[in-house]
């Protein structure tokens, strides 16, 4: 690749400077060369070399405003804001029309969380700058710091009007639209932007994301197609396109797009998992299982991979295999509530009730507060004759679901089972109040209780009182 003259000069300056450091000979550089060398080292994170270059530069060019502004930048970087401000005031007295002075003053204000003052200074900088795009971008960032997303959006739009190729401003303007919940307005804006800059793969990709967000998957795919035509190695666009195909149940095309991401980069557990899911939807059970196994091989800590294999075997009614895989998952992470819930559910299917009870207990212990988890657990406790434990568990669950009729009916049934009629009637009354028709839960779960005439009479009386 041919280097431009500027790039060649820049590389020569850098080589010459590094050679000077090695030989301890002092060579002459003009002030602009020094600025480029210092900024290069700052960009590389080599602050010590940048400071060394700055010292040599100021020795050779003590009156250079450009170098002093670089010095200010380094002082700000080191949080020496008072010294930087003093130097800026000196420079302002010499060059009051230098936009970089206002930009650095704004930078100091920003560091001090004086964002409104920073915006005022940047607006002054606009009067003197030739690089409007850069200043509008900085103003946009200050508005972001103030959480003023509407003004930030307008600033980034102005930045893009000055420089269509400013990718950070493009990302930021879309971010603002999304944060303001203006997805359709963002799509309209990007359509206008693409009219001016049709080969921006970033714009097409962002438009695809926005269409996906409003569930317009056909248009999302069209946008991602353009992004991948412009850049046939745009991994993110292939991934997003695959997700859109999946949403439309176009599983073969989704597989093709996910596979392209694997060709472009190392296989990700996410892509392997999704390919497996697509194959399962297509009825390719052998291939689905192959990709699920590759998923957990690629990332053994990804719970979605183990869950996919376990659920696959559950759907096949092969509970032995499902139990084998959920046990493997628990051997890797025995504090995962999703694993414990599946362990419990599979054991319940196999009539291993004590193991199932243990699984539901562990799922709740590790943060599962889903209603069905509590209810499955309680129903197994009741089956095992652990009425007191079942009651305590339901009372615990009622803290999460204070007005849940299924909890109240179960409490009523259990209190009747242990002959505590007062509490039983209290909870039965609550259940009937919350959902009268669900009293059949008593018949289904507590047939012994249902045979009691007092219970049936209580339900009939409640119905008559509320007719």
């Amino acid at each position: 690749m041919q280097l431009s003259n500027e790039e060649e000069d820049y590389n020569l300056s850098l080589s010459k400077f590094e050679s000077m450091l090695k030989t301890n000979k002092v060579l002459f550089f003009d002030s602009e060369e020094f600025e480029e060398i210092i900024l290069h080292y700052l960009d590389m994170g080599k602050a010590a070399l940048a400071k060394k270059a700055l010292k040599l530069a100021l020795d050779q060019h003590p009156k250079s405003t450009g170098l002093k502004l670089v010095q200010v930048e380094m002082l700000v970087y080191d949080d020496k804001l008072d010294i930087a401000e003093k130097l800026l005031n000196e420079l302002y007295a010499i060059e009051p029309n230098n936009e970089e002075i206002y930009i650095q003053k704004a930078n100091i204000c920003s560091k001090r969380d004086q964002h409104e003052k920073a915006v005022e200074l940047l607006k002054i900088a606009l009067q003197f700058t030739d690089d409007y795009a850069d200043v509008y971008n900085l103003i946009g960032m200050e508005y972001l710091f103030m959480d003023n997303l509407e003004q930030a959006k307008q600033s980034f739009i102005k930045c893009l009007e000055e420089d269509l190729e400013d990718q950070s401003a493009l990302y930021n303007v879309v971010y603002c639209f999304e944060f303001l919940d203006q997805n359709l307005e963002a799509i309209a804006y990007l359509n206008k932007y693409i009219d001016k800059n049709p080969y921006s793969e970033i714009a097409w990709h962002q438009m695809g994301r926005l269409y996906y967000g409003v569930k317009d998957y056909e248009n999302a795919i069209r946008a991602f197609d353009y992004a991948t035509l412009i850049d046939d190695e745009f991994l993110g666009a292939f991934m997003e396109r695959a997700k859109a195909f999946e949403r439309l149940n176009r599983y073969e095309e989704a597989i093709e797009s996910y596979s392209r991401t694997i060709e472009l980069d190392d296989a990700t557990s996410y892509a392997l998992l999704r390919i497996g899911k697509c194959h399962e939807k297509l009825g390719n059970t052998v291939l689905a299982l192959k990709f699920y196994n590759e998923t957990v091989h690629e990332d053994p800590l990804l719970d979605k991979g183990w869950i996919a294999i376990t659920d696959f075997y559950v759907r096949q009614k092969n509970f032995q295999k499902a139990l084998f895989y959920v046990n493997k998952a628990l051997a890797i992470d025995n504090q995962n509530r999703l694993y414990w819930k599946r362990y419990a559910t599979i054991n319940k299917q196999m009539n291993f009730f004590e193991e199932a009870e243990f699984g539901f207990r562990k799922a709740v212990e590790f943060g599962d507060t889903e209603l069905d988890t509590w209810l499955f657990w309680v129903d197994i406790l009741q089956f095992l004759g652990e009425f007191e434990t079942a009651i305590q568990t339901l009372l615990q669950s009622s803290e999460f679901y204070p007005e849940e009729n299924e909890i109240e009916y179960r409490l009523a049934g259990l209190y009747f089972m242990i002959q505590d009629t007062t509490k039983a009637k209290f909870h039965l009354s609550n259940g009937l109040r919350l959902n009268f028709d669900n009293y059949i839960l008593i018949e289904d779960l507590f047939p012994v209780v249902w045979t009691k005439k007092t219970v049936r009479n209580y339900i009939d009386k409640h119905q008559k009182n509320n007719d």
Side-chain angles (χ1 to χ4, degrees), residues 11-59:
N11 288 337
L12 278 170
S13 297
L14 209 54
S15 301
K16 183 175 149 189
F17 181 77
E18 289 182 355
S19 167
M20 181 183 81
L21 291 179
K22 287 173 190 170
T23 59
N24 287 325
K25 287 181 184 173
V26 178
L27 302 174
F28 180 82
F29 296 85
D30 68 35
S31 61
E32 286 184 7
E33 280 182 295
F34 265 126
E35 281 181 49
E36 287 180 354
I37 290 164
I38 296 161
L39 293 172
H40 166 80
Y41 286 129
L42 283 177
D43 290 342
M44 297 287 288
K46 296 179 177 178
L49 279 171
K51 285 174 183 174
K52 189 175 278 191
L54 178 63
K55 185 178 181 309
L56 288 164
L58 288 169
D59 285 345

Side-chain angles (χ1 to χ4, degrees), residues 27 100 217 303:
L27 302 174
E100 194 60 35
Y217 302 119
D303 55 11

Side-chain angles (χ1 to χ4, degrees), residues 313-356:
Y313 281 118
V314 167
R315 282 191 287 273
Q316 303 284 319
K317 306 250 185 289
N318 189 340
F319 298 115
Q320 286 281 7
K321 272 277 180 75
L323 190 58
F324 170 77
Y325 277 100
V326 85
N327 276 322
K328 282 188 80 163
L330 283 165
I332 292 165
D333 179 4
N334 68 356
Q335 296 187 9
N336 187 311
R337 65 181 184 271
L338 300 172
Y339 296 164
W340 280 116
K341 187 167 183 173
R342 278 164 176 77
Y343 171 88
T345 307
I346 294 160
N347 275 297
K348 180 167 167 273
Q349 288 281 357
M350 297 170 79
N351 296 327
F352 298 155
F353 295 108
E354 288 183 2
E355 289 84 351

Side-chain angles (χ1 to χ4, degrees), residues 277-387:
K277 294 266 186 190
C278 291
H279 276 303
E280 191 173 356
K281 294 281 188 184
L282 291 166
N284 304 333
T285 52
V286 175
L287 279 170
L289 199 53
K290 171 181 175 283
F291 280 99
Y292 291 152
N293 279 310
E294 284 183 30
T295 302
V296 294
H297 177 75
E298 180 66 32
D299 184 359
L301 298 178
L302 180 74
D303 55 11
K304 288 186 175 71
W306 292 107
I307 287 165
I309 296 178
T310 304
D311 290 354
F312 173 84
Y313 281 118
V314 167
R315 282 191 287 273
Q316 303 284 319
K317 306 250 185 289
N318 189 340
F319 298 115
Q320 286 281 7
K321 272 277 180 75
L323 190 58
F324 170 77
Y325 277 100
V326 85
N327 276 322
K328 282 188 80 163
L330 283 165
I332 292 165
D333 179 4
N334 68 356
Q335 296 187 9
N336 187 311
R337 65 181 184 271
L338 300 172
Y339 296 164
W340 280 116
K341 187 167 183 173
R342 278 164 176 77
Y343 171 88
T345 307
I346 294 160
N347 275 297
K348 180 167 167 273
Q349 288 281 357
M350 297 170 79
N351 296 327
F352 298 155
F353 295 108
E354 288 183 2
E355 289 84 351
E357 187 275 325
F358 179 72
F360 286 124
R361 179 155 31 104
K362 297 300 274 185
V364 169
E365 185 184 323
F366 292 119
D368 186 341
T369 56
E370 295 293 318
L371 179 63
D372 67 340
T373 308
W374 291 106
L375 299 180
F376 283 139
W377 182 17
V378 166
D379 291 346
I380 288 171
L381 283 167
Q382 181 206 331
F383 179 83
L384 294 170
E386 303 272 356
F387 300 140

